[in-house]
């Protein structure tokens, strides 16, 4: 299938290790942040979200951290698996129902 | 399958031709969004609808682009007189709407290639 991002920053991680993907967002008024996973030839898939009134949120094997002071967002994936290989995008939203603004993606390659 | 669906999945057209894409959102989702994604980039917002009303259009949406959602359900995106620069993945997303609805669910996209 087609590659989602041919010239994206790439994170190579050994299967079983933890992954950390970083994202800098632009709008200090943003109220809501989402991480999406996009596999080749597919649309973005929701992973986890966080509101601006929180600094950490955990899901299944994933944790999102938000640092509003420096406008930084990170996604931590625990015990990375081959199925986690994809391009990951962060997105921000200033209000419910509004458009999402996406950051640059990061390609994660999981080595067996 | 109750997710967002898009048709066609792939479209190859010659420069100057018109193309139309369709998006079927998740049932009962009030908001529908169109984004465009080029290789190596994140999706970029084009336009969105609340039911049948088009509420916002990006400056990326030139006069050659038109989107409709006539009955508040499915939506179409038409590109007239296609140019090579229109080659991209066109993504549709939907959201339940309402004051607490931030999540957007994406379809698989339509890959457009203009030759």
């Amino acid at each position: 299938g087609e590659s989602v991002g041919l010239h994206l920053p790439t994170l190579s991680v050994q299967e079983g290790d933890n992954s950390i993907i970083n994202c800098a967002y632009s709008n200090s008024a943003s109220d809501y942040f989402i991480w999406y996973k996009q596999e080749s030839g597919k649309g973005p898939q929701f992973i986890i979200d966080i509101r601006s009134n929180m600094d950490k949120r955990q899901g299944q094997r994933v944790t999102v951290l938000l640092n509003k002071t420096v406008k930084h967002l990170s996604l931590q994936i625990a015990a990375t698996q081959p199925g986690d290989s994809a391009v990951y995008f962060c997105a921000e939203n200033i209000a419910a129902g509004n458009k999402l603004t996406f950051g640059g993606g990061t390609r994660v390659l999981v080595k067996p | 399958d109750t997710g967002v669906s898009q048709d066609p999945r792939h479209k190859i057209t010659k420069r100057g031709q018109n193309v139309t894409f369709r998006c079927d959102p998740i049932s009962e989702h009030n908001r529908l969004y169109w984004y465009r994604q080029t290789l190596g980039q994140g999706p970029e917002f084009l336009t969105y609808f609340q039911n049948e009303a088009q509420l916002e259009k990006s400056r990326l949406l030139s006069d050659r682009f038109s989107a409709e959602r006539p009955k508040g359900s499915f939506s179409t995106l038409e590109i007239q007189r296609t140019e090579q620069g229109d080659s991209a993945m066109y993504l549709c997303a939907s959201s339940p709407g309402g004051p607490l609805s931030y999540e957007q669910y994406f379809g698989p996209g339509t890959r457009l290639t203009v030759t």
Side-chain angles (χ1 to χ4, degrees):
Chain A
E2 287 190 37
S3 174
V4 170
L6 296 177
H7 306 290
L8 292 170
T10 298
L11 174 67
S12 291
V13 60
Q14 199 71 37
E15 181 179 357
D17 288 351
N18 297 335
S19 304
I20 300 176
I21 306 165
N22 296 304
C23 175
Y25 65 92
S26 56
N27 192 341
S28 57
S30 291
D31 184 46
Y32 177 70
F33 305 87
I34 312 176
W35 279 100
Y36 283 95
K37 171 187 179 183
Q38 189 172 24
E39 295 173 288
S40 193
K42 297 183 179 180
Q45 176 188 356
F46 173 90
I47 301 174
I48 191 169
D49 59 359
I50 189 168
R51 298 282 175 89
S52 61
N53 60 356
M54 303 171 67
D55 53 20
K56 180 179 180 179
R57 188 163 188 226
Q58 288 185 293
Q60 186 177 11
R61 285 200 308 118
V62 294
T63 300
V64 55
L65 299 177
L66 175 63
N67 185 331
K68 293 182 287 294
T69 302
V70 294
K71 292 191 285 188
H72 183 269
L73 196 66
S74 68
L75 177 70
Q76 301 176 1
I77 306 174
T80 313
Q81 302 170 358
D84 295 328
S85 291
V87 177
Y88 291 80
F89 292 99
C90 64
E92 59 187 295
N93 198 330
I94 62 170
N98 273 21
K99 63 191 177 193
L100 293 173
T101 300
F102 283 80
T106 298
R107 177 189 301 280
V108 172
L109 290 176
V110 181
K111 298 177 288 185
Chain B
D1 188 348
T2 57
V4 177
S5 62
Q6 292 186 245
D7 183 71
R9 294 293 308 278
H10 302 274
K11 178 70 177 178
I12 300 174
T13 191
K14 293 185 177 179
R15 188 176 53 188
Q17 297 295 306
N18 300 343
V19 294
T20 300
F21 310 141
R22 175 178 171 128
C23 170
D24 286 88
I26 294 172
S27 179
E28 298 182 356
H29 274 194
N30 294 327
R31 296 223 169 186
L32 186 149
Y33 308 79
W34 285 99
Y35 292 84
R36 182 173 71 185
Q37 185 177 29
T38 53
L39 284 176
Q41 303 295 323
E44 296 175 290
F45 170 77
L46 292 178
T47 188
Y48 82 94
F49 294 83
Q50 169 78 29
N51 298 315
E52 65 275 8
Q54 190 172 16
L55 296 186
E56 186 175 349
K57 293 193 292 185
S58 162
R59 283 173 288 183
L60 292 175
L61 214 66
S62 75
D63 291 344
R64 297 184 296 106
F65 288 69
S66 62
E68 294 182 344
R69 195 183 183 198
K71 297 182 180 179
S73 56
F74 73 92
S75 176
T76 58
L77 177 68
E78 181 183 17
I79 308 174
Q80 296 181 327
R81 304 181 303 281
T82 53
E83 301 173 356
Q84 287 187 321
D86 297 331
S87 295
M89 174 80 86
Y90 290 84
L91 293 163
C92 176
S94 71
S95 172
L100 300 178
S101 295
Y102 287 87
E103 293 181 20
Q104 295 182 20
Y105 301 88
F106 282 82
T110 295
R111 167 68 64 187
L112 173 65
T113 302
V114 182
T115 62

